[in-house]
Amino acid sequence: MRGLMMNRPLLISSLLEHGARVYADGEIVSRTVEGPIHRYTYADAHRRSKQLANALVALGVEEGDRIGTIAWNGYRHFEIYYAVSGLGAICHTMNPRLHPSQLAYIINHAKDKYLFVDLTFVPLIEAIADKLKSVEGIVIMTDREHMPSSVRDGVQCYEDVVHAHSDDFSWPEFSEQTASSLCYTSGTTGNPKGVLYSHRSTVLHSFAIALPGVLHLDESQSVLPVVPMFHANAWGIPYATPMTGAKLVFPGPALDGPSLTELLRDEEVTLTAGVPTVWVGLLSHWRESGSGVPSLQRVVVGGSAPPRAMIDAFEREFGVAVIHGWGMTEMSPVGSVNVLSFKERALPVDARLDLQCKQGRPPFGVEMKVVDEQGKPLPRDGKSFGELKVRGPWVCNGYYRLRRSTMHDEDGWLATGDYATIDERGFMQITDRKKDLVKSGGEWISSIELEDVATSHPDVAQAAVIGIPDEKWTERPLLVIVAKKNRSPTKEDILGFFKGKVADWWIPDDVVFETELPLGGTGKVQKTLLRERFAQHLAER
Amino acid sequence: MRGLMMNRPLLISSLLEHGARVYADGEIVSRTVEGPIHRYTYADAHRRSKQLANALVALGVEEGDRIGTIAWNGYRHFEIYYAVSGLGAICHTMNPRLHPSQLAYIINHAKDKYLFVDLTFVPLIEAIADKLKSVEGIVIMTDREHMPSSVRDGVQCYEDVVHAHSDDFSWPEFSEQTASSLCYTSGTTGNPKGVLYSHRSTVLHSFAIALPGVLHLDESQSVLPVVPMFHANAWGIPYATPMTGAKLVFPGPALDGPSLTELLRDEEVTLTAGVPTVWVGLLSHWRESGSGVPSLQRVVVGGSAPPRAMIDAFEREFGVAVIHGWGMTEMSPVGSVNVLSFKERALPVDARLDLQCKQGRPPFGVEMKVVDEQGKPLPRDGKSFGELKVRGPWVCNGYYRLRRSTMHDEDGWLATGDYATIDERGFMQITDRKKDLVKSGGEWISSIELEDVATSHPDVAQAAVIGIPDEKWTERPLLVIVAKKNRSPTKEDILGFFKGKVADWWIPDDVVFETELPLGGTGKVQKTLLRERFAQHLAER
């Protein structure tokens, strides 16, 4: 028997509509690419999103079309999020740090119809424009005054596009299962894979992260997502803020310590969120300048595990509570957060830090289990570790235009590739890394791709890339090679060979020459041994 | 295009499963009908709910079957909530304050298969047992020691039923649209109508009320719902607590000031919720005893509008923040809450109280509008008033086994029958009452039913029942009658005539004799005029 309740779909447009109605004077503050601080309200953002929606319809955008963005965190990007998804098209955010050839691959794979690009990235998009097969037009996210002097045909100015249309627009209703946004993630093997979110998954994820035990979002909060809007939708913050009336502060391109500190102070930010790499710069600036940010209560650290010393520094040096989070692009992305209870806050420092180094507990909606090699669930005792599997309404069940996912099991769970324990109280801790990936500054580097390049060098016989600890970037890639017989390549030879083949920041920090690589039983390189051997390599260099 | 996200249904069983896994040691404390305080954990409650689910299956309960409860707020009632809905059957909660004949009507209309009844209500159910057509068995919610000495055939003891089964049970998966629970509401006309909630509506409602800007539920909270579990699911609190890990405290049958105060103190309750009538008793006890409850931070007042003096007393005399809420059984029930921002908290007392007398703002998920007589939306200016209409995924779209709802408009909105304003910031205020209902102690009394009884008296020509202000019950019914020619019934005649025809507490507090009733243009009694004329009647008497 079915319940007799209204069949109202969960739609992204409703989030901004709610914000504009109920928190009409709630603020959105942006540091712009052009320089000045821009501020307006949820009601303003809603009006402009409706103007943009009319503009998109006039450009011929239809339900299901993919619209790409290459942009920083800012109010125009926010408007694109809502206008594109609101009319039933798909907002495809892209990481500008990818190698241009990979960007071109992704745009072509997604078949993006239009691209919205920040001024910063105009040269980037110009460089790949000839390779793009589906793009019908490019909109530069600025006003007429700041438009580049010469642009190609089909390139338009964002403010001209928006101003040409009225804000008289009714958001269409459609199934909540409709695709809303798309984000590619680099996996262990092969090309980036697209995670295709739905309106339903986005709204449910917003409810979950807004809860008091997760990010605690309400009108009392001023939230600055340092985590980029191209990185798993800035962890969902741009959706959950109009739902709850929290003030939203966008940092634009200025992510250095002094710029962030200025914005955090001026906008009385209470909660910020980002990867450990960003916080290294911020903490260093705070130490040099001798002060933190008085309004700041909480900092979410995710993307990579924060070093214990970073948690301690935030908490004891600067009085900011750390929320250690874990997630995946495949999970919208929040999988767990480590929010301590009063009792746990009162633990002795070491015991508290031990606990805070765990990845935390899932919010309602995420189910987790760790399983042995036969897929059998292991005890939740904080000791037994196995592969971490997850499921829930904001976890993907496949990838865009990919027939088969190797991440998804027959039982309907996503195999994360991470190894973890879960304790009696539901706290999950990652004990081992996804085997082959290096995580630098919160972004994945595929060791396999780097090994492919290295072994394509005429003097290289075998290559292994491992991530080794780095204070600033969390991890950096180290390349270990075995030269071909009678060949003696230099370090400069090898590293120079990467230039232009991968993004500059992917290029390994150093090369080590060995006579052989340690192999395991099945003939695979035992990277665990290499990691142990070279753990101190960069530090000692 | 559909998103590629897991199609996981939103199910009530997941709420308790989550609580038991992630907040395993979260407490549920109950004052029992038998007397002692009972305490256990979410993990315990989950185990016993699975035992009960096995028991229900053994009793032949199938998906879609209605299982009635007549019970106080307590842990066994909580287990029934989860076991019944969890296996796909429908938990039908009933108000024991209804007249026995109305209870029998509801049980027969719902076709309840089993009834679960607290010890208190055994005489009530015995009295109507012969009228019940669908009931196959009755379970008394106690242990063997406290079972009545003689019971009919088919009457069982709850603890015996539970203990006979193992806790090895896997909650089935089914569509989230499946009906989960049923609650009858008294309307303006005719028989009570059943609101049939779904798993989806219940889980979404739980997310919404748990938000920081609504009830703010997390592990730091200890929550005591005074509002009964038979009254729109205790405003959803039993569902949102295991979702968030809040401690749950059930008061059982002891709702008087001293008993509540004791439990609030002993269990360090931070949040409580109930109708104004209950708070009259509590505040009076606090004043007499000279102290409130130090741990108590917030009190939710709903069901009827709290008097301004009550808000002021909680806030300034006892330091408890008042959350004025509004809702309907048809809305699961939360429609709006008045949670003030820091800025609003700092207003001068009178301005703050003015604001707090409003019914507040809807959480995300509830849409509201006020419309004129042509159904056209009125400005959101805090002045224009019209009928309040609502919609959203936890608003009902009809009533159980009722072909046509007069409350539902063709445009898909629920017409609340309340008249209201909405201001620029989304604050809604009810300006006029549902015309014909009297709300006494948070429960509806149908004036039309009382008028039907009155006019069935041989000496009565016309009758009108109006609600007039009452300090303790918020409102009490006053009967205004015009006697038939040459008849002079006494007050005692008339009031005695109601005995046994309606519940005792429905019987009007007084009778006024008039020579005629004021009639409006369409020949309807103008109750507004009567209310004005008799506003001071009970107070002066």
Side-chain angles (χ1 to χ4, degrees):
Chain A
M1 190 183 303
R2 288 166 66 96
L4 292 170
M5 306 305 284
M6 290 186 185
N7 192 18
R8 302 291 309 154
L10 304 173
L11 296 181
I12 287 173
S13 54
S14 311
L15 294 167
L16 186 53
E17 210 158 34
H18 180 77
R21 273 195 192 143
V22 174
Y23 313 108
D25 52 2
E27 271 192 299
I28 301 179
V29 179
S30 311
R31 190 190 290 279
T32 60
V33 177
E34 298 89 345
I37 298 290
H38 174 275
R39 58 179 71 236
Y40 70 172
T41 65
Y42 282 122
D44 297 328
H46 189 219
R47 274 190 292 275
R48 280 179 45 102
S49 298
K50 288 190 288 186
Q51 286 181 276
L52 178 58
N54 274 322
L56 290 168
V57 170
L59 286 171
V61 173
E62 291 175 5
E63 195 173 311
D65 283 346
R66 275 77 61 210
I67 307 298
T69 70
I70 308 179
W72 300 108
N73 291 8
Y75 69 102
R76 292 191 183 108
H77 206 173
F78 181 86
E79 291 162 8
I80 296 164
Y81 263 45
Y82 282 93
V84 171
S85 302
L87 62 82
I90 297 163
C91 183
H92 171 205
T93 53
M94 277 171 281
N95 184 347
R97 292 177 195 147
L98 292 175
H99 187 266
S101 67
Q102 215 165 19
L103 261 187
Y105 167 83
I106 287 175
I107 294 169
N108 288 330
H109 187 267
K111 298 185 182 166
D112 289 334
K113 195 167 186 174
Y114 283 91
L115 297 180
F116 283 74
V117 180
D118 259 343
L119 270 177
T120 319
F121 307 116
V122 172
L124 175 62
I125 207 72
E126 288 284 341
I128 59 169
D130 290 338
K131 293 185 189 157
L132 306 182
K133 297 172 186 159
S134 57
V135 175
E136 294 178 15
I138 293 170
V139 179
I140 299 179
M141 294 162 64
T142 190
D143 53 21
R144 179 131 298 275
E145 192 189 338
H146 292 86
M147 276 293 278
S149 51
S150 75
V151 292
R152 292 163 175 263
D153 282 352
V155 174
Q156 299 184 65
C157 164
Y158 185 90
E159 290 301 326
D160 290 352
V161 166
V162 166
H163 287 137
H165 293 274
S166 96
D167 63 5
D168 184 9
F169 186 84
S170 292
W171 300 112
E173 281 186 17
F174 38 72
S175 159
E176 67 191 34
Q177 307 281 1
T178 303
S180 61
S181 44
L182 178 62
C183 187
Y184 280 73
T185 178
S186 302
T188 39
T189 52
N191 282 309
K193 293 174 290 185
V195 177
L196 191 64
Y197 307 107
S198 70
H199 286 259
R200 171 182 168 92
S201 68
T202 305
V203 170
L204 292 176
H205 183 263
S206 302
F207 266 129
I209 69 168
L211 291 176
V214 186
L215 300 193
H216 181 133
L217 299 177
D218 64 12
E219 275 189 294
S220 73
Q221 299 296 311
S222 171
V223 187
L224 189 157
V226 181
V227 54
M229 291 171 77
F230 56 73
H231 187 135
N233 300 319
W235 299 347
I237 291 170
Y239 298 117
T241 36
M243 170 185 261
T244 56
K247 175 176 170 179
L248 191 48
V249 184
F250 287 128
L255 306 181
D256 58 289
S259 303
L260 280 180
T261 302
E262 184 187 66
L263 198 58
L264 290 166
R265 276 192 200 143
D266 289 354
E267 302 307 327
E268 296 181 310
V269 169
T270 56
L271 172 69
T272 185
V275 298
T277 308
V278 170
W279 306 134
V280 170
L282 189 75
L283 285 170
S284 143
H285 173 69
W286 287 3
R287 280 178 188 140
E288 279 162 28
S289 65
S291 70
V293 172
S295 63
L296 193 63
Q297 298 159 355
R298 298 172 296 141
V299 56
V300 186
V301 191
S304 319
R308 187 181 178 96
M310 177 181 282
I311 300 176
D312 201 28
F314 269 121
E315 300 243 340
R316 291 203 291 171
E317 277 181 60
F318 299 103
V320 179
V322 169
I323 300 178
H324 179 184
W326 172 84
M328 301 171 74
T329 300
E330 283 88 343
M331 298 182 77
S332 299
V334 175
S336 67
V337 288
N338 195 326
V339 172
L340 300 186
S341 67
F342 290 133
K343 212 162 60 185
E344 290 155 350
R345 280 246 145 251
L347 287 171
V349 175
D350 271 345
R352 173 170 59 73
L353 287 173
D354 283 347
L355 188 55
Q356 287 190 285
C357 283
K358 296 193 173 196
Q359 273 69 21
R361 294 181 290 184
F364 174 78
V366 172
E367 290 175 86
M368 291 183 168
K369 62 181 179 183
V370 289
V371 298
D372 65 15
E373 290 187 2
Q374 283 71 49
K376 208 182 121 234
L378 291 165
R380 300 164 84 87
D381 57 8
K383 287 173 201 151
S384 309
F385 73 94
E387 187 169 17
L388 178 65
K389 292 189 174 192
V390 295
R391 69 174 181 184
W394 55 85
V395 180
C396 75
N397 65 6
Y399 297 94
Y400 186 53
R401 295 185 58 213
L402 191 71
R403 190 163 309 189
R404 206 178 140 271
S405 159
T406 53
M407 302 274 284
H408 289 84
D409 292 353
E410 280 169 21
D411 61 0
W413 292 70
L414 176 78
T416 64
D418 283 329
Y419 286 74
T421 60
I422 301 177
D423 70 18
E424 299 78 358
R425 286 142 62 246
F427 281 82
M428 184 272 287
Q429 182 163 29
I430 306 270
T431 54
D432 208 353
R433 306 290 312 281
K434 283 196 181 203
K435 283 194 220 143
D436 299 322
L437 288 172
V438 179
K439 204 155 199 181
S440 176
E443 301 289 337
W444 291 114
I445 295 176
S446 165
S447 57
I448 288 179
E449 275 200 41
L450 293 180
E451 288 158 9
D452 284 346
V453 173
T455 52
S456 71
H457 186 285
D459 295 343
V460 172
Q462 284 176 282
V465 168
I466 53 169
I468 54 179
D470 179 272
E471 199 186 348
K472 179 163 184 199
W473 301 102
T474 310
E475 268 193 353
R476 288 295 302 157
L478 174 72
L479 174 61
V480 183
I481 63 171
V482 178
K484 286 185 179 163
K485 264 187 185 169
N486 304 323
R487 302 283 178 100
S488 5
T490 66
K491 185 199 296 188
E492 287 68 32
D493 283 343
I494 302 293
L495 294 181
F497 187 70
F498 281 91
K499 266 281 176 206
K501 297 196 177 70
V502 297
D504 279 346
W505 62 277
W506 274 40
I507 299 178
D509 278 24
D510 203 0
V511 186
V512 172
F513 298 88
E514 295 282 306
T515 51
E516 60 178 6
L517 296 178
L519 298 183
T522 59
K524 286 187 188 162
V525 175
Q526 289 191 297
K527 291 196 173 180
T528 322
L529 293 181
L530 289 179
R531 281 191 208 105
E532 278 172 21
R533 196 185 306 167
F534 295 108
Q536 299 301 317
H537 183 83
L538 289 181
E540 285 169 7
R541 196 177 46 157
Chain B
M1 190 184 304
R2 287 167 66 97
L4 292 170
M5 305 304 284
M6 289 185 186
N7 192 20
R8 301 291 309 155
L10 303 172
L11 297 181
I12 287 173
S13 54
S14 311
L15 293 167
L16 186 53
E17 210 158 34
H18 179 78
R21 272 195 192 143
V22 175
Y23 313 108
D25 51 2
E27 271 191 300
I28 302 178
V29 179
S30 311
R31 191 190 288 281
T32 60
V33 177
E34 298 88 346
I37 298 291
H38 174 274
R39 56 181 72 236
Y40 70 170
T41 66
Y42 282 122
D44 296 328
H46 189 219
R47 274 189 292 275
R48 280 179 44 102
S49 298
K50 289 190 290 185
Q51 286 181 276
L52 177 57
N54 274 322
L56 290 166
V57 170
L59 285 172
V61 173
E62 291 175 5
E63 194 173 311
D65 283 347
R66 276 77 60 211
I67 306 299
T69 70
I70 308 179
W72 301 108
N73 292 5
Y75 69 101
R76 293 190 183 109
H77 206 172
F78 181 85
E79 291 162 6
I80 296 165
Y81 263 46
Y82 282 93
V84 171
S85 302
L87 62 81
I90 297 164
C91 181
H92 172 206
T93 55
M94 276 171 282
N95 185 348
R97 295 177 193 146
L98 293 174
H99 187 267
S101 67
Q102 215 165 17
L103 261 188
Y105 167 83
I106 288 176
I107 294 168
N108 289 330
H109 187 268
K111 300 185 181 165
D112 289 333
K113 195 166 185 174
Y114 283 90
L115 297 179
F116 283 73
V117 180
D118 258 343
L119 270 177
T120 319
F121 307 116
V122 171
L124 176 61
I125 207 70
E126 289 283 340
I128 58 170
D130 289 337
K131 294 185 189 156
L132 306 181
K133 296 171 188 162
S134 56
V135 175
E136 295 178 13
I138 294 172
V139 180
I140 299 179
M141 294 161 64
T142 191
D143 52 22
R144 179 130 300 274
E145 190 190 341
H146 294 87
M147 276 293 280
S149 50
S150 75
V151 292
R152 292 164 173 260
D153 282 351
V155 173
Q156 300 184 63
C157 164
Y158 185 90
E159 291 301 326
D160 289 352
V161 165
V162 166
H163 286 137
H165 293 273
S166 96
D167 64 5
D168 183 10
F169 186 84
S170 292
W171 300 111
E173 281 187 18
F174 37 72
S175 159
E176 68 190 33
Q177 307 280 2
T178 304
S180 61
S181 45
L182 177 63
C183 186
Y184 279 74
T185 178
S186 302
T188 40
T189 52
N191 281 311
K193 293 174 291 185
V195 177
L196 190 64
Y197 307 107
S198 69
H199 286 259
R200 171 183 168 90
S201 69
T202 304
V203 171
L204 292 175
H205 183 263
S206 302
F207 267 129
I209 69 168
L211 291 176
V214 186
L215 300 193
H216 181 132
L217 300 178
D218 64 14
E219 273 188 296
S220 72
Q221 300 295 311
S222 171
V223 187
L224 189 156
V226 180
V227 53
M229 292 171 77
F230 57 74
H231 187 135
N233 299 320
W235 299 347
I237 291 171
Y239 298 118
T241 35
M243 171 186 260
T244 56
K247 174 176 170 178
L248 192 47
V249 184
F250 287 127
L255 305 182
D256 58 289
S259 302
L260 280 179
T261 302
E262 183 187 66
L263 198 57
L264 289 166
R265 276 193 201 142
D266 289 353
E267 302 306 327
E268 296 183 307
V269 168
T270 57
L271 173 70
T272 184
V275 298
T277 309
V278 170
W279 306 135
V280 169
L282 190 74
L283 284 170
S284 144
H285 173 70
W286 287 2
R287 279 178 188 137
E288 281 162 25
S289 65
S291 70
V293 173
S295 62
L296 192 64
Q297 298 160 355
R298 299 173 294 140
V299 57
V300 186
V301 191
S304 318
R308 188 182 178 96
M310 177 181 283
I311 300 177
D312 202 27
F314 269 120
E315 299 243 341
R316 291 202 293 171
E317 277 180 61
F318 298 104
V320 179
V322 170
I323 300 177
H324 180 183
W326 172 84
M328 301 171 74
T329 300
E330 285 86 345
M331 299 182 75
S332 300
V334 175
S336 67
V337 289
N338 196 328
V339 172
L340 300 186
S341 66
F342 289 134
K343 213 162 61 185
E344 290 155 352
R345 279 244 147 250
L347 287 171
V349 174
D350 271 345
R352 173 169 60 74
L353 287 173
D354 283 347
L355 187 56
Q356 288 190 285
C357 284
K358 298 193 173 196
Q359 274 68 21
R361 295 183 289 183
F364 174 79
V366 172
E367 289 176 88
M368 293 185 165
K369 61 181 180 184
V370 290
V371 299
D372 66 16
E373 290 187 0
Q374 284 72 48
K376 207 182 119 231
L378 292 165
R380 300 165 82 86
D381 57 7
K383 288 171 199 151
S384 310
F385 72 93
E387 186 169 19
L388 178 65
K389 293 189 175 192
V390 295
R391 70 174 179 184
W394 55 85
V395 180
C396 75
N397 66 6
Y399 297 95
Y400 186 54
R401 295 185 57 212
L402 192 70
R403 190 163 308 189
R404 207 180 139 271
S405 160
T406 53
M407 302 274 283
H408 290 84
D409 292 353
E410 280 168 20
D411 61 0
W413 292 68
L414 176 80
T416 64
D418 282 330
Y419 285 74
T421 60
I422 300 178
D423 71 18
E424 299 80 357
R425 286 144 59 249
F427 281 82
M428 183 272 288
Q429 183 163 29
I430 306 271
T431 56
D432 208 352
R433 304 288 312 278
K434 281 193 182 203
K435 282 192 221 146
D436 299 321
L437 288 172
V438 179
K439 203 154 200 183
S440 177
E443 301 290 337
W444 291 115
I445 295 176
S446 166
S447 60
I448 290 180
E449 276 201 40
L450 294 179
E451 287 157 12
D452 284 347
V453 174
T455 52
S456 70
H457 187 285
D459 294 342
V460 172
Q462 285 177 284
V465 168
I466 53 169
I468 55 179
D470 180 89
E471 199 186 347
K472 179 163 183 200
W473 301 103
T474 309
E475 269 195 350
R476 287 296 302 157
L478 174 72
L479 174 61
V480 183
I481 64 171
V482 178
K484 288 185 179 162
K485 265 188 185 166
N486 304 322
R487 302 284 178 99
S488 6
T490 65
K491 186 197 298 188
E492 288 65 34
D493 283 343
I494 302 293
L495 294 181
F497 188 68
F498 281 91
K499 267 279 178 207
K501 297 197 176 68
V502 297
D504 279 346
W505 62 278
W506 275 39
I507 298 177
D509 278 23
D510 202 359
V511 185
V512 172
F513 297 89
E514 296 282 305
T515 51
E516 60 177 9
L517 294 178
L519 297 183
T522 58
K524 287 188 187 158
V525 176
Q526 291 192 295
K527 291 196 173 179
T528 322
L529 294 179
L530 289 179
R531 281 191 208 104
E532 279 171 20
R533 195 184 305 167
F534 296 107
Q536 298 302 314
H537 184 82
L538 289 182
E540 284 167 11
R541 194 177 46 154

